[in-house]
Amino acid sequence: MFDFALFGSLFLTLFVIMDPPGITPIFLGLTSGRPLKVQRKMAWQAATVAFSVITLFGICGQQILDYLHVSVPALMVAGGLLLLLIALDLLTGKSEEPTQTKDVNVALVPLGMPLLAGPGAIVSVILAVQHADGFGGQLSVWSAIVAMHVVLWLVMRYSLLIIRVIKDGGVVLVTRLAGMMLSAIAVQQIANGITQFIQAA
């Protein structure tokens, strides 16, 4: 059966990591000066690139771990630390925004990767796929991944409208709240990894 709790948990985790409200001003800055039609095309390209990268790691994540001889508890602790760093950037607002480059399609780099499909999102998806039980669990995980990328595409596509509605102050507020939630998720993931290390010892 479809696991709504698992779906909600992964969707919320990816939401605070990928930070759709926070990506709005970055997307506008990177695509400024381009026609609306081109902006919409770049929004689709960025979401597609991010989804492709996440899907690759979701499908091949276990093989990658086996090849590198990395245990799940180690990945959980490392992933938790990465998430904590991202959360601190969201809370303090110290993350650097990339500058626009005319010779590079910014929808692919840096929007698609690493801004959207960054290390935190990749680790979270690998762990979610790893721990999903049966067809229902896998369906819940992949549904959350697809839903998150649809949200990202919609946010970027309608970013001009969104920024008019919530203003810069609204973006900052939502970003700070996302940072608080992500920091709690990161600490819990680190604690779970340490617990599994102790149990395995």
Side-chain angles (χ1 to χ4, degrees):
M1 292 181 63
F2 191 86
D3 190 339
F4 287 97
L6 179 59
F7 172 88
S9 175
L10 180 58
F11 182 85
L12 180 60
T13 301
L14 292 178
F15 186 90
V16 296
I17 294 172
M18 294 181 160
D19 189 23
I23 206 68
T24 300
I26 300 177
F27 176 78
L28 291 174
L30 290 172
T31 60
S32 62
R34 291 177 169 87
L36 181 61
K37 183 178 180 180
V38 175
Q39 283 187 322
R40 291 178 175 176
K41 179 181 178 181
M42 295 180 76
W44 171 256
Q45 289 176 334
T48 302
V49 169
F51 178 74
S52 300
V53 173
I54 292 295
T55 299
L56 174 65
F57 278 92
I59 295 174
C60 304
Q62 184 58 57
Q63 288 77 5
I64 294 173
L65 291 180
D66 292 341
Y67 179 78
L68 297 175
H69 304 289
V70 176
S71 66
V72 173
L75 185 62
M76 292 178 69
V77 174
L81 292 173
L82 284 172
L83 297 183
L84 192 57
L85 291 175
I86 296 172
L88 292 175
D89 281 341
L90 292 175
L91 285 169
T92 59
K94 292 182 179 179
S95 56
E96 297 181 359
E97 296 183 6
T99 56
Q100 181 175 340
T101 305
K102 292 183 179 179
D103 297 332
V104 178
N105 186 350
V106 295
L108 308 180
V109 178
L111 272 174
M113 184 178 182
L115 281 177
L116 297 179
I122 290 172
V123 169
S124 297
V125 167
I126 290 177
L127 292 176
V129 173
Q130 175 90 7
H131 290 94
D133 294 326
F135 176 77
Q138 292 293 332
L139 178 62
S140 304
V141 166
W142 288 104
S143 296
I145 294 171
V146 171
M148 184 66 251
H149 285 84
V150 170
V151 169
L152 285 169
W153 170 66
L154 290 174
V155 167
M156 288 185 291
R157 189 181 191 279
Y158 296 102
S159 57
L160 293 173
L161 175 62
I162 292 174
I163 207 72
R164 281 196 210 105
V165 173
I166 66 176
K167 309 295 184 184
D168 290 341
V171 173
V172 172
L173 175 61
V174 174
T175 301
R176 298 296 182 270
L177 291 174
M180 290 181 60
M181 298 172 67
L182 182 58
S183 62
I185 294 173
V187 171
Q188 184 63 56
Q189 188 164 304
I190 293 172
N192 291 343
I194 294 175
T195 299
Q196 290 192 21
F197 266 126
I198 296 174
Q199 291 176 347

